[in-house]
Amino acid sequence: MTYYVLSRNARPVGVFVTDPARGHALMWDHRRRSWAYNPERVTRFLDDHRNFERYREVDRATADRAAASVTGGQLLPDEKTIEGIFEQAATG
């Protein structure tokens, strides 16, 4: 798993979790106020050169702290849950 924190003015505003080898990605959806499987949106964001200064790869502990800030208290789902979300998406 690879973790990314998105920032604006040095404040966390988003969190992505990716499995680049299998093309999976999870992100915090601000509108729904929940974690959402959305590899297309995450890939578009990460691949856009205009966003390179807006995110950084981090370790799990840093991603958890950023997630708590972005979500109003929720941590990332545990890795077993994330794997389950990715597997469910793969099997349709």
Side-chain angles (χ1 to χ4, degrees), residues 17 36 39 47 81:
V17 181
D47 288 347
T81 300

Side-chain angles (χ1 to χ4, degrees), residues 42-84:
V42 170
T43 300
R44 264 194 327 270
F45 185 91
L46 295 176
D47 288 347
D48 188 332
H49 67 90
R50 296 170 294 185
N51 295 326
F52 289 170
E53 300 288 325
R54 295 182 57 204
Y55 68 88
R56 63 188 169 101
E57 186 175 332
V58 298
D59 60 20
R60 170 70 193 222
T62 302
D64 264 332
R65 286 190 300 275
S69 174
V70 168
T71 66
Q74 282 191 47
L75 298 179
L76 286 167
D78 62 64
E79 289 195 0
K80 184 176 180 179
T81 300
I82 294 170
E83 283 290 332

